[in-house]
Amino acid sequence: MKWSWYIGRIAGIDIKIHPTFVFILIWFGLSAYLSGGSFTAAMTNVLLILALFLCVLLHEFGHALTARLFDIKTRDITLLPIGGVARLESLPEDPKEELLVSIAGPAVNAVIAAGLFSGLLLSGFFSQPMNLSVLPNNFWLQLLIANITLVLFNLIPAFPMDGGRVLRSILALGMDHLKATCIAANIGKGLAFLMGIAGLFLNPWLILTAVFVWFGAGAEAQAVELKAGLKGLAVRDAMVSKFYQVEANQPLSDVFQLAMATGQSNIPVISNGNYLGIIRRADLIKTMERLGNRAPAYTAIGSEPAGLDPDMPLTDALPQFTDSRVWPVLEGRQLIGLVTTESLQQRMWLNQRAKGTKTQSTSESTDAA
Ligand code: ZN
């Protein structure tokens, strides 16, 4: 998450918060205050939101700490206005482990709900005559309802909800991971469709959730398909090894002519045989406007994605492929190839053809630049 503030570190995991969260707090506090409430009512509302987010944080720690049992690290946990996200470095491939990691989050909220329910029961809350005007204002009752909602919402069996992963992992106990994902994604899409229809008659929020679920299902299926398509391949297998390059002090006009003549949109820059960086099309034009045609090539080098090792498994390199469209493959400081979004897709397509498996369009799946 680009726009998030670091707020601390617990159990070795960075906790971040999205700035809009602060607006939510102010909004809920103010709206309680303005709708005729007192200062206490406003503070209670703010406290309720904070308590709810603590529950969401504990939910994410449920995922993160269970993943740690299987040696999977968590990069960070970010609290967003719509909930939390724990960024795990990878997902367990073993369906039993995935099942445990996915279910651990909702399980935390179920435990909290059970605790709150017992507390309310012991305090005699439920044996009092139900006063409907006071009922909705009870802090603990509201927190209980919120936690039950969290459990139910997260267990909807559709990606990107935890329930989607639970479903996939249960299916994967009896079949191949990719097939299980496709079935789970289709069930998710079916649910999203029904939710959308229901939303037309009941509540527009359902339509929004349906759209979210529909795209979540598609993205998950594509990501798994991509990974399955690249299994067993090394970076070397997906790189372009014939490409054009320029020397660091060649003028930008040369780079421009080369790009025009060859159609290669990313041009590597070399100095004394060593790789310096890549000039991207947009950077080339911007630098020429700023510094003129005669400026040396190296001035147009953009921000650098890390060089890839040619023997690295492609599936291990995949997480890096989200923040660029071209990656240099380096042997020492020497550039031996380029992996591009297109070369990846080409390789995957050929690989699937060779395996004789069903090919589906995978366009743009790695293009989330
Ligand atoms: Zn979760």
Side-chain angles (χ1 to χ4, degrees):
M1 297 292 152
K2 275 179 190 159
W3 283 90
S4 51
W5 295 331
Y6 172 81
I7 54 166
R9 197 175 164 85
I10 303 172
I13 300 169
D14 288 346
I15 316 287
K16 295 173 178 176
I17 200 159
H18 198 267
T20 44
F21 179 72
V22 178
F23 289 108
I24 299 246
L25 277 184
I26 296 172
W27 168 264
F28 271 84
L30 263 182
S31 62
Y33 185 71
L34 294 177
S35 64
S38 55
F39 180 71
T40 333
M43 282 326 284
T44 312
N45 247 6
V46 168
L47 271 183
L48 186 66
I49 298 291
L50 285 176
L52 184 57
F53 269 78
L54 181 66
C55 295
V56 172
L57 185 63
L58 291 171
H59 170 118
E60 298 307 331
F61 266 101
H63 291 306
L65 296 181
T66 313
R68 186 176 287 180
L69 293 179
F70 307 119
D71 287 327
I72 295 171
K73 287 192 194 120
T74 301
R75 286 193 215 165
D76 49 37
I77 291 177
T78 307
L79 293 176
L80 304 164
I82 47 155
V85 180
R87 280 202 305 162
L88 304 187
E89 291 207 317
S90 61
L91 275 178
E93 295 252 324
D94 177 359
K96 275 185 225 121
E97 294 179 2
E98 189 189 26
L99 179 61
L100 289 174
V101 171
S102 321
I103 213 156
V108 167
N109 297 112
V111 169
I112 296 173
L116 288 169
F117 181 78
S118 318
L120 284 169
L121 194 68
L122 288 176
S123 72
F125 179 82
F126 295 110
S127 51
Q128 289 165 14
M130 290 289 175
N131 182 340
L132 286 177
S133 64
V134 179
L135 208 51
N137 293 324
N138 184 290
F139 180 85
W140 300 110
L141 183 67
Q142 280 185 310
L143 201 56
L144 170 62
I145 293 171
N147 271 284
I148 294 174
T149 313
L150 274 177
V151 175
L152 294 179
F153 182 74
N154 277 294
L155 286 183
I156 295 175
F159 298 114
M161 258 72 84
D162 295 329
R165 294 179 200 289
V166 170
L167 174 66
R168 188 246 309 271
S169 54
I170 292 173
L171 289 170
L173 289 171
M175 66 180 82
D176 159 74
H177 190 251
L178 178 60
K179 198 173 169 197
T181 304
C182 289
I183 294 176
N186 284 334
I187 292 177
K189 281 185 175 174
L191 269 177
F193 183 72
L194 292 178
M195 244 190 269
I197 299 283
L200 289 178
F201 301 102
L202 299 172
N203 187 333
W205 281 105
L206 267 178
I207 303 179
L208 207 68
T209 314
V211 172
F212 179 65
V213 168
W214 181 277
F215 285 105
E220 180 71 24
Q222 258 185 0
V224 171
E225 210 177 286
L226 180 72
K227 215 173 161 185
L230 298 176
K231 210 161 195 162
L233 295 176
V235 163
R236 189 191 295 280
D237 300 317
M239 75 184 188
V240 179
S241 52
K242 286 205 168 72
F243 52 87
Y244 297 93
Q245 59 191 36
V246 292
E247 280 292 327
N249 47 17
Q250 267 181 273
L252 286 177
S253 53
D254 282 9
V255 185
F256 184 80
Q257 271 166 12
L258 185 65
M260 286 303 291
T262 62
Q264 186 180 320
S265 40
N266 303 293
I267 312 268
V269 183
I270 306 297
S271 174
N272 298 322
N274 290 331
Y275 168 75
L276 279 189
I278 292 176
I279 302 178
R280 289 171 182 72
R281 191 164 41 188
D283 291 335
L284 174 61
I285 303 301
K286 267 188 232 152
T287 316
M288 280 171 72
E289 279 169 0
R290 204 159 41 91
L291 303 175
N293 294 355
R294 306 302 308 161
Y298 68 85
T299 56
I301 293 175
S303 62
E304 273 313 283
L308 300 173
D309 186 286
D311 298 315
M312 186 182 195
L314 258 185
T315 45
D316 288 0
L318 269 185
Q320 302 177 35
F321 292 164
T322 46
D323 31 62
S324 180
R325 293 180 65 97
V326 57
W327 302 269
V329 184
L330 302 179
E331 225 158 39
R333 293 185 61 192
Q334 223 183 348
L335 181 70
I336 61 163
L338 296 172
V339 175
T340 65
T341 322
E342 293 75 26
S343 76
L344 259 182
Q345 282 168 0
Q346 169 87 341
R347 179 70 246 188
M348 202 180 123
W349 190 82
L350 290 173
N351 211 38
Q352 283 182 331
R353 277 294 144 108
K355 278 184 188 166
T357 50
K358 192 179 87 187
T359 348
Q360 285 177 4
S361 159
T362 53
S363 62
E364 304 305 304
S365 58
T366 53
D367 274 357

